[in-house]
Each structure stands twice: as C-alpha cells, then as structure tokens.
Amino acid sequence: MQPPKSFNKSFNKEQSSGLPSQRSFIKNILNRQKIVYLAALLALIIGTVYAFVQKPRPDPYKPVSTLSLNWLCYPVERNAFKRLPVVSANLRSVFVLPGTQKVWVVGSGGMILHSPDGGSSWNRQTIQSTEPDGKKNLSSKREPMKDSSFISSVAKIAYAEAPPPAEQKSNNTGTNAGEKRIRYSQKAAFSSVNKQIIKKEKQQKQVPQKLLPTKPEPAINPSLAALSSVTLVNESLGWAVGSGGTILHTADGGKNWEPQTSGTSQWIFAVQFHNDCKTGWAVGDGGTILHTTDGGKSWEPRTSGTSERLYAVQFQDDGKTGWVVGISGMILHTTDGGKNWEPQTSGTSQLLYAFYFQNDGKTGWAVGGSGTILHTTDGGKSWEPRTSGTEKLLASVQFQNDGKTGWAVGDGGTILHTTDGGKSWEP
C-alpha cells in the first residue's frame, strides 16, 4: 500500500528544508577547525621565533624550578656552564687586596683579569704601550670587556708564553733540562723579534741624533708579555711583571696599565712593594734583582751573586731583611736592603718556586718541585723538610697569622691544607 501523494510531498519538503541547516552546521564546524589550526600554527611560529631570540639566563649556575617565572622567561639549559667564555691563557699569579673583594689574576699573552666582587664577575683590563716619543700607542690598547665575561686572545709571538717550571733533575752543571729548554725557546722566540729591531735600527740611523729616544724601549710589546706576578699596595696603585723585562704599573686600580722601564730584557718572575708605594723589588732570570725607591719610575740592578733563575722575593716591613728563592734549592738572604746577598742552606736540590715569612721574620715556609715543603724557625739559617704527600710542583704557600693554618697549591689542581704549622698536610 503506497502512502498518499500528499504525504510524500510533505516529507520531501521537510527533508529538502533540513539540508541547508545541516550544511551550514558542518560548515561552521570546519571554519572553527580552521581557526584552531591557524591559531596553533601561529602559536608554533611565534614560539619558534621566540625560542631563537630568547636570551639565556644571566646566572647559568642558579637552579630553576619547573613552572616558575624564570622557567617561562628563559630557555631550558642542560649544560649551561658550557656556554661560558673560557680563558685559554696560562694564569701564573693571583692577588687579593687585603680587606676587600678585589682580585687580580695575570698570565700569558698580556692577560690581566680583575674581579671587583670576589670572583663572581671578571673583566679584562687594559695595557697601554708608549711610543719612543712618549705618545700612547692606542693601537695596542686592549679594551676591557663590557660585560662580566672575558675571552683570552692568542699571543702573536712564540715568546708570549713559557711552560711552567719542570721538575728538576740535576746534571753536572747544576742546570736542569727544563731550564735549558726554556732558555732555548726564549732565544728562538726572540729571533723573530730581532729582525724587527734590526730594521728599526737601520731606520733610526737616518734620523738625527736629537730625535732618538732617550729611554730604552721595552724588549717586547707589553701587551704580548707573559705576566708572572701582580701586586697592589692599595685600591689604586699596583704593579705586574713578566717576560722580556716587562714591568707594568697602574694608578687607577687596574683600569689602565702602563709600562715602566726595567732596564733588563730578562724574564721577571716576582715583584713586591712596601706600603709606602715607593720601595719595591723584582727578581727573575739570570739572577736578576731590581730595586726602586720612586714607585718604579727607575729601577736599579742589585748584585745577587748568581746567574740562575730567581722565582720569588719577600722583604719584611723594615725594608732591610729579605729573601729570594730560585732553582736548585737556592735561597738568598739580605739584611741591608738588598745591597748584599748571602746564600742560605736549604738542604734540597729541587727548585723553590715560592715562600712565605711571617711578620716576626723567623718563621717561614718554602715550596717547590716534587712536592717540596721546607720550614724554618730561625729566619732561614736552617730549613727542615716537611712531608707533603704529593710529587706535584707546589707553586704557592700562605699561612694565617696564627702560624698554624696554611695552604699550598700547585700543578694538577693540587691544594694542600695544614692546621699544625705544616707538620702534616692533607689534600
């Protein structure tokens, strides 16, 4: 039985009238999906661009908790410390100004680094060279870094860096193989500089005598020197020394360093100044001992009685009593301000790289090759060996005023500590 025609017409009419509403509903769904897809794509693009331009965290060592503000504002880093700048230069000396957070470090390639906050941030400081006519050579001026990071530069001559002192092995002449290699490298490196010096001398022959410099020029460019030691007497005045007879002086807390005339081309390894800011000493290769009474404006050589390398110097507050140490266990002592030097018996043939005397001028310690530690209680008249427990070269030693607590550091990251005046040492 077929339905009436009127029913079919009404059904078809209702069906046809429902199709547009379904189509519009589907179309709305598709439009909404497109909007969602476009929004997701836009968010992906924005997130990608932001990820590329987003700055890393200022402090890579500070831990970050998940879903914190720092977690949202900065990229997630798994090895943040690897992005920090690295100093490739060999660092040879560190100095902390007593009573402050100010630290200076020097090394090869004319490297002078300064921290005003106890080592949290570092800046490279400037070395200024001077031309023979006294004008500053701005081309050799090294600008300090504008942020708290620093990057070392590579020296352009071979002599800009020397290897650390090798473990000493005595031979018939008393000079170790390491010393010979260092001296040979010095001669080889200077050969490249000699050509420039010869060329300059030929040019100077054509210049009238009155135009020639009245002061000797530095043996090498100070900004390329390997710096071995740094010291400051206050927040403004300081000195640094190094290869080629380099002596640098600062009068503004290290913001700028200017060369002083040492009168020698020997490598200078150590420098010390008294609190008067005038009286100072410097020691180095070839038994070099220099003395100044005008803040380094002029340096006078003193007779040491040796031609061997001297590594460290220290004078007492009286300015009369002092010591220097060097290779082959050498210890020299003076009681007249360095006019005359007498050897002291150390009892070792190892090189001595550093020493420290307390204010009494009697109690002292010396350190050097093969873990050598010596101790004296009579101003160096006699020295007794102490067991360090290491064969590494020890490059520095320091004690507190109590004479009990002290530290010694050296090659391979060696750090030794004592609480009994050096009778026993623990890593």
Side-chain angles (χ1 to χ4, degrees):
M1 181 176 179
Q2 295 181 350
K5 292 182 178 180
S6 59
F7 176 80
N8 291 334
K9 289 180 179 180
S10 62
F11 177 78
N12 292 333
K13 186 176 180 180
E14 292 177 358
Q15 189 177 22
S16 61
S17 62
L19 288 176
S21 62
Q22 292 178 358
R23 290 174 180 174
S24 62
F25 177 74
I26 295 173
K27 187 175 182 180
N28 290 336
I29 292 177
L30 293 176
N31 288 336
R32 291 177 181 176
Q33 288 179 341
K34 289 181 180 179
I35 293 174
V36 173
Y37 290 152
L38 289 175
L41 180 61
L42 183 61
L44 178 63
I45 294 174
I46 294 175
T48 302
V49 173
Y50 182 69
F52 276 100
V53 300
Q54 191 178 27
K55 294 182 179 180
R57 289 181 289 120
D59 186 358
Y61 293 106
K62 185 177 181 180
V64 178
S65 58
T66 306
L67 300 180
S68 65
L69 182 61
N70 286 334
W71 182 80
L72 294 174
C73 295
Y74 299 105
V76 177
E77 298 180 272
R78 301 300 181 188
N79 297 299
F81 66 92
K82 291 186 177 180
R83 66 177 167 84
L84 295 176
V86 177
V87 174
S88 60
N90 287 330
L91 303 179
R92 288 289 179 256
S93 181
V94 59
F95 178 83
V96 181
L97 188 64
T100 72
Q101 293 291 313
K102 297 184 177 182
V103 186
W104 284 264
V105 176
V106 298
S108 60
M111 180 69 67
I112 302 179
L113 306 174
H114 172 56
S115 172
D117 49 17
S120 297
S121 61
W122 293 86
N123 296 283
R124 185 168 187 180
Q125 295 188 325
T126 303
I127 296 178
Q128 293 181 343
S129 296
T130 46
E131 296 293 343
D133 58 2
K135 296 181 179 180
K136 293 181 179 179
N137 180 7
L138 299 180
S139 63
S140 63
K141 182 178 180 179
R142 296 188 174 200
E143 296 294 339
M145 305 301 291
K146 295 182 179 180
D147 54 17
S148 61
S149 63
F150 50 83
I151 303 176
S152 67
S153 62
V154 179
K156 296 181 181 179
I157 60 175
Y159 189 56
E161 179 179 336
E167 297 298 327
Q168 188 168 350
K169 295 181 180 179
S170 299
N171 54 23
N172 294 334
T173 61
T175 304
N176 60 53
E179 293 289 330
K180 289 184 176 179
R181 287 195 297 270
I182 292 174
R183 291 172 181 170
Y184 177 79
S185 64
Q186 292 173 356
K187 294 179 180 179
F190 269 114
S191 63
S192 61
V193 184
N194 285 339
K195 295 180 181 179
Q196 299 178 1
I197 296 176
I198 294 173
K199 182 178 179 181
K200 185 176 290 186
E201 288 177 350
K202 291 181 179 179
Q203 295 175 353
Q204 290 178 347
K205 288 180 180 180
Q206 302 174 359
V207 181
Q209 185 67 27
K210 64 179 181 179
L211 298 181
L212 294 178
T214 57
K215 295 183 179 180
E217 297 183 52
I220 63 174
N221 189 335
S223 63
L224 297 178
L227 300 178
S228 304
S229 180
V230 59
T231 185
L232 282 88
V233 295
N234 53 43
E235 294 189 4
S236 300
L237 299 177
W239 291 261
V241 296
S243 59
T246 299
I247 298 180
L248 304 175
H249 173 56
T250 179
D252 54 13
K255 294 179 181 178
N256 296 281
W257 294 81
E258 296 185 357
Q260 293 183 333
T261 302
S262 67
T264 181
S265 60
Q266 298 285 358
W267 194 309
I268 303 176
F269 281 94
V271 62
Q272 182 200 11
F273 268 82
H274 271 181
N275 293 332
D276 63 3
C277 305
K278 299 293 184 181
T279 307
W281 295 266
V283 299
D285 258 345
T288 297
I289 297 180
L290 304 176
H291 178 52
T292 180
T293 56
D294 55 12
K297 295 179 181 179
S298 61
W299 291 85
E300 297 180 358
R302 294 294 172 88
T303 302
S304 64
T306 181
S307 60
E308 301 294 350
R309 173 174 289 185
L310 302 176
Y311 282 118
V313 57
Q314 181 184 341
F315 272 78
Q316 296 296 101
D317 292 338
D318 61 7
K320 300 294 184 181
T321 305
W323 298 263
V324 297
V325 298
I327 68 169
S328 302
M330 181 178 298
I331 301 178
L332 302 178
H333 177 55
T334 181
T335 56
D336 56 10
K339 295 179 181 178
N340 297 282
W341 295 87
E342 298 292 335
Q344 291 184 333
T345 302
S346 66
T348 181
S349 60
Q350 295 290 337
L351 66 87
L352 297 177
Y353 201 71
F355 68 100
Y356 173 78
F357 268 90
Q358 291 194 310
N359 293 332
D360 61 6
K362 300 294 183 180
T363 307
W365 297 263
V367 297
S370 298
T372 298
I373 298 180
L374 305 177
H375 178 53
T376 181
T377 56
D378 55 12
K381 295 179 181 179
S382 61
W383 293 84
E384 297 180 358
R386 292 285 189 259
T387 301
S388 66
T390 181
E391 291 296 321
K392 299 291 186 179
L393 169 81
L394 299 178
S396 182
V397 61
Q398 187 80 26
F399 272 78
Q400 291 185 350
N401 293 333
D402 61 7
K404 300 294 184 181
T405 306
W407 296 263
V409 298
D411 282 358
T414 301
I415 301 178
L416 303 178
H417 179 55
T418 181
T419 57
D420 57 9
K423 294 179 180 179
S424 61
W425 295 83
E426 296 180 357

